[in-house]
Amino acid sequence: MVLDSHHPMRATVPLLCLFFLFLLAEDAWAAAEISDFRVMVDGDRALISLKLEHAFNSRFWERVDSGLPTSILYRFQLEKDRKRWYDRQLKETTYEVVATYDAVERQYTVNCKLDGKLVESRTVHDHDQQALAGAMTRLEALPVFTLDRPPEPWRLLIKARAELGSKTVLSLVPVLITTEWVESRKFRLPAREP
């Protein structure tokens, strides 16, 4: 079969090729994943712990060591365990870890921000890359939500995902590099007293 220049398939083939290249490129960046995701309820606070695996590849280290601020943004969503998708989400919050390398002092400054507000700052020396990776990829007992007592004893869960910056596909299309969403085990809070 010969396609003339006005045939619809002639324009579709290059688009399909671009789409498959996009999927391959996205898959190559999808190696980072969240593991050991746990939620602990302490009074009216939800504390989360997690580990971000495979985030520090050679490209990420190059970006950090360039001296430009390099961040990992964690997104968290508190949801009701309901079948209806349109009324599940109750709250959302972000936790950003930003590393900046100082070549003169030979150290990294790591700032942690919860919903844009600085909550912690620490210094890591450049010879200890494992400490820097740990500071950016391990969260322990981080208070992400204040839990209001629901009007009924809903089962709740927390979802998490990490964003590691962006890349351009085929030098044209910017793509956000993220992990898949992970869900915590479901938990309940007692209903409000009448």
Side-chain angles (χ1 to χ4, degrees):
M1 178 172 99
V2 177
L3 300 179
D4 66 23
S5 61
H6 293 81
H7 194 279
M9 284 296 289
R10 188 154 180 102
T12 305
V13 171
L15 289 175
L16 285 174
C17 290
L18 283 174
F19 177 72
F20 286 119
L21 284 173
F22 173 77
L23 288 178
L24 288 172
E26 184 177 13
D27 189 47
W29 298 324
E33 63 182 359
I34 292 175
S35 66
D36 298 332
F37 182 45
R38 299 179 315 277
V39 174
M40 185 178 81
V41 177
D42 179 26
D44 66 345
R45 299 184 312 160
L47 311 176
I48 64 93
S49 298
L50 63 79
K51 190 187 317 182
L52 178 61
E53 307 267 8
H54 313 298
F56 276 75
N57 57 26
S58 59
R59 192 170 294 158
F60 198 87
W61 277 115
E62 286 173 16
R63 202 165 58 190
V64 171
D65 288 338
S66 72
L68 295 172
T70 303
S71 68
I72 298 175
L73 181 72
Y74 297 91
R75 292 193 181 277
F76 301 101
Q77 295 178 349
L78 177 66
E79 294 187 353
K80 294 182 273 187
D81 181 31
R82 307 277 305 256
K83 296 198 186 314
R84 295 186 305 236
W85 60 269
Y86 54 85
D87 69 345
R88 290 184 60 170
Q89 187 170 323
L90 298 171
K91 295 182 181 181
E92 185 173 21
T93 192
T94 60
Y95 184 73
E96 185 177 21
V97 184
V98 183
T100 308
Y101 182 59
D102 183 339
V104 175
E105 297 292 327
R106 296 182 53 120
Q107 64 188 20
Y108 302 95
T109 301
V110 181
N111 292 318
C112 304
K113 302 173 184 177
L114 186 61
D115 287 330
K117 296 177 184 168
L118 184 66
V119 292
E120 182 184 358
S121 187
R122 67 176 103 159
T123 301
V124 178
H125 295 284
D126 71 347
H127 62 274
D128 196 353
Q129 289 186 334
Q130 282 189 331
L132 177 64
M136 295 188 76
T137 60
R138 286 190 178 90
L139 308 181
E140 290 293 331
L142 177 70
V144 291
F145 292 113
T146 300
L147 302 170
D148 303 319
R149 299 290 171 192
E152 55 187 86
W154 295 325
R155 291 193 329 162
L156 304 174
L157 63 92
I158 295 178
K159 291 171 56 175
R161 133 174 142 172
E163 298 176 1
L164 295 102
S166 62
K167 294 284 177 198
T168 55
V169 178
L170 303 172
S171 301
L172 298 171
V173 182
V175 176
L176 187 63
I177 303 168
T178 68
T179 64
E180 296 292 324
W181 284 100
V182 294
E183 290 185 0
S184 71
R185 295 173 76 176
K186 296 168 180 69
F187 57 94
R188 284 187 194 276
L189 294 175
R192 281 193 292 252
E193 297 289 331

